[in-house]
Amino acid sequence: MNTARTLATATRVLRQLSHDRRSLALLLLVPCVMLFLLRYVFDGDPRTFDSIGASLLGIFPLITMFLVTSIATLRERTSGTLERLLAMPLGKADIIAGYALAFGALAVVQSVLATALALWGLGLDINGSAWLLLLVALLDALLGTALGLFVSAFAASEFQAVQFMPAVIFPQLLLCGLFAARSSMQPVLEAVSNVLPMSYAVDGMNQIMIHPDVTADFVRDAGVVAGCALLVLTLGAATLSRRTQ
């Protein structure tokens, strides 16, 4: 992987995204809007927002980054841009890393906005550090980016890319422990939830909610989310093809 080529790819992607206002709005504003709505859905019981707000602070960025990244990457492939890039002296790792860097930069902005709104705009009450909350939100957004890059290789159209959301995101959403404790699930479902990265994203947020200091469980949860993001990016580079069939 060449650093200069990776940075050049990231710069090109960011330049293109800067002209796509709808995608930018989806990336940067939708998680904030969803958190705002959630806070006032539970206006009569703010403690409910405190109990689930941190978890959703990680889930919303993951979902939006997955959706926008998968569609944007697929658009590059179907328009022939990816084929032209691979005809140049660019490795697959350069391209995937460049995309990940570009969307990762947007993930940083997204996570900062959503975390700041939740803590200081909506009064989310946590025992842990705001910086740790931001870290997990960022890791979740990067995981969504990695998953979006990966699944775009298996879609032939933007409609198919959207269809991957029920297959990739929704099962994790149901099994991550947001709606019921994973230990109370049917044993097979609990075992499945133990290998899904979103489960560790939610667990990491819960650790910040409960504990004022960094715990071993938090380090494990953050490490699993980061490791899954790196693994999926590696798989994305391996499955990258010139064009959609």
Side-chain angles (χ1 to χ4, degrees):
M1 187 173 68
N2 184 282
T3 302
R5 294 169 182 170
T6 298
L7 291 175
T9 300
T11 301
R12 181 188 61 81
V13 173
L14 286 173
R15 188 181 300 114
Q16 288 181 335
L17 286 172
S18 67
H19 299 294
D20 189 348
R21 296 181 179 178
R22 286 177 295 183
S23 294
L24 287 177
L26 179 61
L27 281 171
L28 303 180
L29 299 181
V30 167
C32 294
V33 172
M34 296 299 291
L35 285 169
F36 182 85
L37 291 175
L38 183 70
R39 167 61 182 85
Y40 290 103
V41 164
F42 298 110
D43 191 40
D45 187 8
R47 289 177 298 178
T48 302
F49 176 72
D50 289 337
S51 66
I52 66 173
S55 298
L56 292 175
L57 180 60
I59 291 174
F60 287 156
L62 189 157
I63 293 174
T64 55
M65 291 302 298
F66 171 85
L67 183 61
V68 172
T69 304
S70 60
I71 292 176
T73 308
L74 180 65
R75 191 179 300 164
E76 295 264 283
R77 182 180 288 108
T78 55
S79 66
T81 300
L82 185 59
E83 183 176 6
R84 292 191 294 271
L85 288 174
L86 289 173
M88 301 169 64
L90 281 174
K92 292 183 177 180
D94 295 322
I95 295 174
I96 287 294
Y99 281 108
L101 185 60
F103 285 105
L106 291 173
V108 171
V109 179
Q110 180 195 71
S111 300
V112 168
L113 290 175
T115 303
L117 174 66
L119 291 177
W120 297 294
L122 302 177
L124 179 66
D125 186 21
I126 61 172
N127 288 319
S129 168
W131 292 106
L132 294 179
L133 196 70
L134 174 61
L135 172 63
V136 179
L138 177 58
L139 290 176
D140 294 342
L142 292 176
L143 176 61
T145 298
L147 288 171
L149 288 170
F150 177 66
V151 303
S152 68
F154 304 98
S157 66
E158 293 182 12
F159 178 67
Q160 287 186 8
V162 174
Q163 287 179 313
F164 273 105
M165 181 172 286
V168 176
I169 299 297
F170 288 179
Q172 296 193 67
L173 188 61
L174 293 173
L175 299 177
C176 69
L178 180 64
F179 301 105
R182 292 193 288 128
S183 59
S184 68
M185 295 178 183
Q186 201 275 342
V188 173
L189 294 182
E190 182 184 0
V192 173
S193 74
N194 288 335
V195 299
L196 298 177
M198 192 182 290
S199 299
Y200 296 91
V202 171
D203 285 351
M205 287 297 193
N206 289 336
Q207 290 293 315
I208 299 170
M209 287 289 299
I210 298 171
H211 301 286
D213 301 316
V214 176
T215 64
D217 287 341
F218 172 82
V219 174
R220 177 207 63 191
D221 295 333
V224 168
V225 175
C228 287
L230 182 60
L231 174 62
V232 174
L233 281 177
T234 303
L235 292 174
T239 57
L240 187 66
S241 59
R242 291 179 179 269
R243 60 167 64 91
T244 299
Q245 301 298 325

